[in-house]
């Protein structure tokens, strides 16, 4: 590993993980250390039982059906974006361990093909959704509502996704090399193997990791905390 | 211009006091996705970003980011973090006192962000900066004065009541019918509004149901709540709570007044940090109960003209009474028509939250009532029923300005009239 890769794809990764985790814990602590008002802020009709309440919470947080009714376009892209994000997250787990059940069914070639199609399409979906998010911010009234944070986050996301796509569509490195890199991170000896070191994909990987690091570092201090806050706030809805 | 240092410190200290967990969630997680845009009748009617729910809350968020978050202190520009300036306060005034508190935006927001909860902070700040709504302040203070000098008001009130009582006796044909005031150990304390129109029909219904009731000396409306001054709002509501305790009633019944429902059911106990020794109910729930128990019987389907029902936000979405009024109307009306949308999705009439009491918003509420007008027209109804004084006043105005050619009625009026028909026929 050259020194720059070592800094970005090594040291900085640990830093990002550290900041992300402590930042999120700090954020949760910040929330919980302030007392709740005992005014019940829920809206009616409210679910009657505890189970119904939890089901409603899940529905409101994961598919927010009310939003579908008044802003179909935004709802559509938001759902697309978030589910693609989830899919991509699951896909990345393959870099820790091969999904053996898929491997058994599809075989080596089949898995690669499957990964190319699913990962590739998710990457495109993310790009399209981000482009929509972005273009929306340039129109009134969204423009007047937006603050620099919104653009910053979108740009970061766009860069992460673009670099990911670049590896997926233009890269020449196979998944085993990335997996070796991820494993090296786990044992605190970050390294690229020879195949990766000489490949051009190294640069997209380092860039991908760099922007992802920035994103994770900023995450706990941004509106992205809605990733957990949505559950708390949607629960208040039926209080 | 930035407000002076002293004021700034005072406002920030206040803001700090007002912070609670719900508020933090709302301030931290809004994605500025603007899905709430078309939930607000005021934005839809004006297309002015100031009235976009998230933008209203954003003004408070900017102050919050600047003074209360680490990243906001370091890089305020990232969030457009702002110092408190006179301009900001003026903008805040515009978006805050115009909000009707309908909470339709909360219904549609993917995170269920309660914009009005954020705006209650805005009101606190405005009041502390000496920029609370002058007219609402005046009305709130008048109510508090009345509470202090109740003996003075009582004489006048009892005089007027004598007159109402005579009308009651005449209508129900019972010379012994009364409108009891300050009667101890009554089952229920009925809290009306000023004016006979909320007292007489209720008295007729109570008389027919043979209820052991008493009338509150105070009116249900609470301008302190509209103003956003918790201390004043509490004082105003407390007059009634104290009265209920003194008379040892079992139930406090709120008349057809939306925000009073919410004040008594959801806010007062939290403001006063105490539990009621009585129940709180809506007059709609009481009428419905009488019908179910067979204590009153309605003259079925006596209204032939098409009738529609407007769900007041504070009684539907924000209080949970949907079925009772529909049940009642369907019994007396041969042609009941729903508005679209209705129930928890119903459009605000455009004048809640104290908007109707602020003359400088008169034109605004007529303009932003256009969605309601459209809805009413679509039903083709000739009678619009709504159990909220605020909504009815607004719909009267809309009726006049948009030539709707409708009549507006309360639920109590429908019921009381229906109860009197057999007598009039015989
Ligand atoms: S209040 Fe809710 S709907 Fe409105 S912009 Fe914020 S997150 Fe979106
Ligand atoms: S509460 Fe009603 S009036 Fe106020 S911002 Fe929300 S939708 Fe608009």
């Amino acid at each position: 590993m050259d020194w720059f890769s070592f800094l970005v794809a090594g040291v900085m990764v640990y830093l990002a993980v550290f900041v992300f985790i402590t930042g999120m814990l700090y954020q949760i602590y910040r929330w919980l250390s302030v007392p709740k008002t005992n005014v019940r802020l829920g809206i009616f009709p409210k679910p009657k039982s505890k189970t119904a309440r939890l089901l409603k919470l899940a529905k409101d947080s994961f598919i927010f059906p009310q939003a579908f009714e008044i802003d179909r376009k935004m709802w559509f892209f938001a759902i697309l974006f978030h589910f693609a994000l989830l899919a991509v997250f699951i896909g990345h787990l393959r870099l820790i361990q091969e999904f053996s059940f898929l491997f058994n069914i599809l075989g080596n070639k089949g898995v690669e093909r499957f990964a190319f199609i699913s990962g590739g399409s998710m990457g495109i979906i993310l790009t399209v959704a981000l482009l929509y998010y972005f273009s929306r911010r340039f129109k009134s009234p969204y423009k007047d509502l937006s603050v620099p944070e919104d653009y910053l986050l979108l740009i970061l996301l766009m860069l992460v996704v673009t670099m990911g796509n670049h590896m997926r569509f233009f890269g020449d490195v196979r998944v085993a090399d990335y997996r070796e890199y991820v494993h090296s991170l786990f044992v605190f000896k970050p390294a690229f193997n020879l195949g990766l070191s000489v490949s051009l994909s190294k640069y997209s990987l380092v860039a991908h990791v760099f922007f992802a690091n920035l994103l994770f570092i900023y995450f706990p201090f941004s509106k992205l905390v809605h990733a957990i806050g949505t559950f708390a706030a949607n629960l208040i809805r039926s209080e | 211009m930035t407000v002076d240092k002293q004021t700034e410190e005072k406002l920030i200290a206040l803001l700090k006091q007002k912070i609670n967990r719900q508020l933090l969630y709302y301030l931290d997680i809004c994605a500025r996705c603007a899905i709430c845009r078309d939930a607000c009748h005021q934005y839809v009617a004006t297309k002015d970003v100031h009235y976009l729910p998230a933008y209203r809350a954003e003004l408070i968020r900017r102050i919050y980011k600047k003074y209360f978050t680490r990243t906001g202190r370091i890089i305020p520009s990232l969030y457009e973090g702002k110092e408190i300036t006179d301009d900001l306060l003026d903008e805040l005034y515009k978006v805050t006192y115009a909000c009707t508190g309908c909470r339709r935006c909360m219904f549609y927001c993917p995170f269920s962000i309660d914009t009005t909860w954020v705006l209650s902070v805005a009101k606190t700040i405005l009041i502390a900066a000496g920029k609370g709504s002058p007219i609402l302040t005046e009305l709130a203070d008048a109510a508090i004065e009345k509470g202090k000098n109740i003996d003075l008001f009582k004489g006048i009130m009892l005089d007027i009541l004598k007159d109402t009582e005579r009308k009651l006796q005449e209508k129900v044909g019972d010379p012994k019918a009364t409108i009891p005031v300050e009667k101890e150990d009554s089952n229920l304390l009925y809290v009306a509004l000023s004016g006979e129109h909320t007292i007489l029909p209720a008295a007729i219904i109570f008389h027919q149901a043979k209820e052991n009731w008493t009338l509150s000396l105070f009116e249900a409306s609470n301008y302190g709540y509209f103003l956003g001054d918790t201390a004043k709002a509490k004082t105003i509501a407390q007059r009634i709570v104290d009265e209920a305790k003194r008379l040892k009633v079992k139930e406090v019944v709120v008349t057809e007044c939306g925000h009073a429902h919410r004040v008594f059911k959801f806010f007062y106990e939290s403001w006063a940090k105490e539990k009621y020794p009585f129940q709180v109910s809506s007059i709609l729930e009481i009428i419905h109960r009488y019908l179910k128990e067979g204590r009153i019987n309605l003259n079925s389907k006596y209204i032939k003209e098409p009738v529609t029902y407007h769900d007041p936000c504070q009684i539907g979405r924000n209080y949970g009474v949907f079925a009772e009024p529909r049940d009642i109307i369907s019994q007396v009306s041969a042609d009941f028509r729903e508005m679209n949308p209705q129930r928890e999705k119903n459009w605000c009439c455009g004048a809640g939250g104290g908007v109707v009491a602020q003359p400088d918003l008169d034109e605004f509420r007529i303009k932003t009532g256009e969605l309601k007008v459209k809805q009413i027209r679509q039903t083709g109804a000739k009678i619009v029923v709504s159990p909220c004084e605020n909504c009815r006043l607004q719909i009267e105005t809309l009726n006049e300005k948009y030539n709707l050619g409708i009549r507006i009625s309360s639920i109590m009026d429908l019921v009381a009239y229906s109860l009197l028909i057999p007598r009039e026929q015989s």
Side-chain angles (χ1 to χ4, degrees), chain B residues 373-416:
Chain B
V373 168
K374 212 161 115 203
Q375 265 184 304
I376 294 174
R377 283 218 175 100
Q378 266 171 3
T379 62
K382 287 280 160 260
I383 299 175
V384 177
V385 180
S386 191
C388 170
E389 182 91 345
N390 234 308
C391 302
R392 283 196 303 268
L393 280 171
Q394 163 76 345
I395 298 172
E396 304 268 9
T397 312
L398 298 177
N399 187 22
E400 209 177 286
K401 300 286 173 189
Y402 290 84
N403 289 319
L404 286 173
I406 49 166
R407 279 181 295 149
I408 294 112
S409 172
S410 66
I411 294 271
M412 284 190 297
D413 272 334
L414 287 190
V415 173

Side-chain angles (χ1 to χ4, degrees), chain B residues 26-143:
Chain B
Y26 297 154
L27 290 176
D28 284 333
I29 68 177
C30 172
R32 285 176 289 273
C33 63
I35 284 175
C36 52
R37 185 193 70 173
D38 288 342
C40 182
H41 57 287
Q42 296 182 338
Y43 177 77
V44 174
T46 61
K47 299 278 182 275
D48 177 348
V49 70
H50 284 96
Y51 300 117
L52 200 153
Y55 186 84
R56 306 184 202 229
E58 191 61 28
L59 294 179
I60 287 294
R61 190 170 294 113
R62 286 174 185 176
I63 302 175
Y64 160 78
K65 285 285 184 187
K66 162 93 185 138
Y67 293 95
F68 291 95
T69 65
R70 255 162 241 277
T71 35
R73 267 192 293 250
I74 303 167
I75 336 174
S77 55
L78 199 50
Y79 311 94
E80 293 194 10
K82 291 257 161 51
E83 301 194 330
I84 303 179
T85 61
D86 285 324
D87 285 347
L88 183 68
L89 289 175
D90 290 343
E91 208 181 356
L92 210 48
Y93 185 98
K94 171 176 165 171
V95 306
T96 302
Y97 282 110
C99 168
T100 61
C102 71
R103 303 209 303 162
R104 205 170 180 269
C105 47
M106 176 178 184
F107 181 84
Y108 286 102
C109 169
F111 310 140
S112 308
I113 290 176
D114 184 354
T115 309
T116 63
W117 192 244
V118 181
L119 292 185
S120 69
V121 177
K123 288 183 175 177
T124 312
I125 294 179
L126 285 166
I127 293 166
K131 294 192 183 222
S133 159
I135 179 78
L136 294 178
T137 311
E138 218 171 276
L139 290 164
D141 289 344

Side-chain angles (χ1 to χ4, degrees), chain B residues 20 50 89 102 109 111 164 170 174 195 198 201 217 229-230 246 265 268 328-329 404 408 411:
Chain B
N20 48 61
H50 284 96
L89 289 175
C102 71
C109 169
F111 310 140
T164 314
E170 206 175 286
D174 175 358
T198 60
L217 295 172
D229 187 321
T230 310
R246 183 156 42 84
K265 191 90 173 191
Y268 185 82
I328 298 168
I329 299 172
L404 286 173
I408 294 112
I411 294 271

Side-chain angles (χ1 to χ4, degrees), chain A residues 61-133:
Chain A
S61 305
F62 291 114
I63 51 176
F64 31 101
Q66 290 84 359
F68 174 74
E69 290 173 37
I70 51 167
D71 196 340
R72 302 229 157 151
K73 219 170 174 185
M74 185 61 193
W75 179 87
F76 176 74
F77 283 106
I79 287 281
L80 218 56
F81 177 78
H82 287 89
F83 278 92
L85 217 53
L86 181 69
V88 164
F89 175 77
I90 294 171
H92 276 72
L93 295 180
R94 201 172 154 235
L95 299 180
I96 298 174
Q97 198 181 359
E98 181 62 276
F99 300 143
S100 50
F101 63 97
L102 270 185
F103 196 84
N104 292 340
I105 304 168
L106 302 170
N108 192 14
K109 270 238 165 67
V111 170
E112 283 308 319
R113 171 120 50 15
F114 179 77
F116 186 81
I117 294 172
S118 57
S121 52
M122 289 307 134
I124 291 170
I125 287 175
L126 286 177
T127 312
V128 172
L130 282 170
L131 283 173
Y132 173 75
Y133 277 8

